[in-house]
Amino acid sequence: DADVTQTPRNRITKTGKRIMLECSQTKGHDRMYWYRQDPGLGLRLIYYSFDVKDINKGEISDGYSVSRQAQAKFSLSLESAIPNQTALYFCATSDRGVNQPQHFGDGTRLSIL
Amino acid sequence: SQKIEQNSEALNIQEGKTATLTCNYTNYSPAYLQWYRQDPGRGPVFLLLIRENEKEKRKERLKVTFDTTLKQSLFHITASQPADSATYLCALDIWGDSNYQLIWGAGTKLIIKP
């Protein structure tokens, strides 16, 4: 089984819909992250959480919200989806401390029509 | 603002040769730099980390260098194989709002031809 699991893997939806992407991990890591990846651009951080009670905005948090339901679960919501949120979304985890490598799920491909 | 540049064009290398990928950065002095591999339809996978006081790091056929004067890291794969074909991403650490984060390059696609 994958250490970091994202659901769904693919989603097509319409403008204005509310969407939730889910992430669960079995690595026991405290830190979790949500990124989006667009062609030609590096991964951009949306939100991150260093523990269950700690949620922080990343570089591009507008239009997104998150919930850290437990150490192992971190969900990303698009309250009212718009076409420019079409992208590949990744969840990642890492152990505490600096310079820890990040461990990624296999992503959710989201298309907003 | 911080900027990370990796070759946007795909790099084509003959099997058995050494592949060298470049990561350049500006406006920042990272203490650490990480390299990841990403295959189509998959998330990035961590390969190597190098610290600012390390000039070179090796792992099997992989070698990473880090030149803080040039603000550049080079990633080498020796005796390349078709299975090494993938996109390779570099990432630098920053401290934003007192929290540690990584910022990412867009990646270079490496194609190893048999």
Side-chain angles (χ1 to χ4, degrees):
Chain A
D1 289 339
D3 294 323
V4 183
T5 303
Q6 293 185 235
T7 56
R9 290 297 314 277
N10 294 280
R11 178 79 184 270
I12 301 173
T13 192
K14 295 182 179 179
T15 298
K17 294 291 187 182
R18 184 179 187 274
I19 302 158
M20 180 180 287
L21 309 183
E22 299 190 6
C23 178
S24 62
Q25 53 117 346
T26 58
K27 298 193 73 68
H29 288 162
D30 287 327
R31 299 181 175 185
M32 298 187 75
Y33 311 82
W34 275 105
Y35 291 96
R36 68 177 278 176
Q37 188 175 45
D38 297 274
L41 298 179
L43 290 164
R44 290 184 291 167
L45 185 63
I46 305 172
Y47 271 94
Y48 61 103
S49 170
F50 276 15
D51 65 44
V52 174
K53 296 182 180 180
D54 177 67
I55 304 287
N56 302 281
K57 292 182 177 180
E59 175 189 357
I60 53 164
S61 59
D62 287 349
Y64 302 94
S65 62
V66 291
S67 174
R68 185 82 184 266
Q69 300 94 327
Q71 187 206 36
K73 295 184 182 295
F74 193 35
S75 60
L76 176 72
S77 294
L78 287 68
E79 297 300 328
S80 179
I82 55 177
N84 75 2
Q85 292 177 313
T86 293
L88 189 54
Y89 289 84
F90 286 103
C91 173
T93 74
S94 72
D95 209 345
R96 296 180 188 178
V98 298
N99 315 312
Q100 296 298 316
Q102 294 190 2
H103 303 264
F104 287 80
D106 282 337
T108 294
R109 186 169 295 280
L110 179 62
S111 297
I112 300 165
L113 307 178
Chain B
S1 62
Q2 297 89 1
K3 187 175 179 181
I4 303 173
E5 290 185 345
Q6 295 186 257
N7 286 347
S8 57
E9 294 183 8
L11 181 63
N12 288 276
I13 299 292
Q14 195 67 37
E15 181 178 7
K17 300 293 186 182
T18 296
T20 299
L21 287 71
T22 304
C23 177
N24 295 301
Y25 58 93
T26 59
N27 298 334
Y28 191 67
S29 298
Y32 304 86
L33 188 146
Q34 301 184 20
W35 282 90
Y36 290 73
R37 168 183 173 140
Q38 186 174 19
D39 291 287
R42 307 298 299 273
V45 175
F46 172 75
L47 296 174
L48 281 168
L49 177 151
I50 187 166
R51 295 174 173 78
E52 63 175 342
N53 60 355
E54 296 177 316
K55 296 298 183 186
E56 182 178 298
K57 195 83 169 277
R58 292 176 184 261
K59 179 182 176 182
E60 298 174 350
R61 293 185 296 110
L62 309 180
K63 183 178 82 171
V64 172
T65 63
F66 193 10
D67 189 324
T68 55
T69 301
L70 292 178
K71 294 187 179 293
Q72 181 181 77
S73 176
L74 298 179
F75 177 83
H76 306 271
I77 305 175
T78 58
S80 60
Q81 304 167 2
D84 295 325
S85 298
T87 296
Y88 291 85
L89 312 177
C90 67
L92 311 179
D93 69 307
I94 62 170
W95 284 88
D97 297 329
S98 78
N99 281 324
Y100 170 80
Q101 300 176 32
L102 289 179
I103 54 172
W104 296 79
T108 297
K109 184 175 183 179
L110 176 64
I111 300 169
I112 307 297
K113 296 185 175 180

